Amino acid sequence: MGAISSGGVDFGVATSYTIPEKGFQYKVYYPSPLMLVVPPGHRLANRETVKISELKDENFLSIYRNSSRAINRIQQICAKGNFYPRIVKETNCLSTLFMLISANMGISIHFQLHKDACKHDLRFVPLDLEDGSQEENEDGAALIWKKDSTNPALQPFIRCVDVCIERFRQEAERRPPL
């Protein structure tokens, strides 16, 4: 965010939860569901899905509140299971968070898109929110820019990204499954 804030660059790519609430705009171009992240020996590691209420007695790990909206979203999801998450550790680095999970220090809820980048042997398990709703994929990887940008290329660039993403999705839909 620093290079965008200082005007060094006009656009960046970030996980939508890391974008500050003020001063920036963003467009999610790769939506990703939130999933339970646990070590392989965890009691819920091999489940098809996990009900959110089953996590009420767990220790949670998260990205620092001041650098991410992740804790707020975890709290909203846990509220659907009628509990408040017990956050035992916060870190400013996703790889550190995954290392702590692999060391059995707690669990987390994170984007499925991070699964391929995870260097640790962790399980990403779909969540059942128990209220009949599906987790909305309104967050994920996002294009970010300054809200007060005066760059005349801003809107044409965003439209170009939209067109490219739509073409990619259409091509992906036409490809046979692996």
Side-chain angles (χ1 to χ4, degrees):
M1 304 313 147
I4 297 172
S5 294
S6 68
V9 298
D10 292 313
F11 296 95
V13 175
T15 304
S16 57
Y17 282 168
T18 63
I19 301 169
E21 292 185 23
K22 295 182 181 180
F24 296 93
Q25 288 185 293
Y26 66 94
K27 180 177 191 75
V28 173
Y29 66 88
Y30 187 80
S32 182
L34 289 169
M35 306 193 68
L36 173 65
V37 184
V38 296
H42 191 276
R43 66 185 177 87
L44 302 171
N46 296 313
R47 299 270 298 276
E48 292 288 321
T49 62
V50 172
K51 291 181 179 183
I52 195 68
S53 61
E54 293 179 85
L55 306 178
K56 69 178 180 165
D57 296 323
E58 297 285 343
N59 291 328
F60 280 80
L61 305 168
S62 184
I63 300 296
Y64 281 122
R65 181 181 302 271
N66 62 353
S67 63
S68 172
R69 294 177 288 138
I71 289 179
N72 295 340
R73 188 64 181 126
I74 289 171
Q75 290 171 341
Q76 290 171 349
I77 290 171
C78 292
K80 293 181 180 208
N82 295 314
F83 72 97
Y84 190 82
R86 183 175 51 234
I87 308 286
V88 296
K89 181 78 175 146
E90 296 177 41
T91 180
N92 63 353
C93 179
L94 189 59
S95 61
T96 301
L97 178 80
F98 288 156
M99 179 191 68
L100 294 170
I101 295 169
S102 70
N104 294 305
M105 301 227 11
I107 65 168
S108 192
I109 295 174
H110 246 284
F111 291 117
Q112 180 181 359
L113 68 86
H114 291 128
K115 184 177 182 179
D116 291 337
C118 182
K119 305 286 189 231
H120 299 278
D121 183 20
L122 298 177
R123 303 296 184 265
F124 285 68
V125 185
L127 291 168
D128 175 354
L129 301 182
E130 300 180 70
D131 64 357
S133 71
Q134 294 292 319
E135 174 60 29
E136 294 179 22
N137 292 340
E138 57 193 39
D139 282 297
L143 180 67
I144 178 175
W145 61 92
K146 270 177 76 172
K147 190 175 269 186
D148 61 358
S149 175
T150 58
N151 185 333
L154 178 77
Q155 290 308 317
F157 181 74
I158 293 169
R159 284 192 298 273
C160 180
V161 169
D162 286 341
V163 168
C164 290
I165 290 168
E166 185 56 33
R167 283 183 187 158
F168 179 78
R169 284 187 184 135
Q170 288 173 359
E171 288 174 15
E173 289 173 3
R174 287 192 296 262
R175 280 188 223 125
L178 298 175

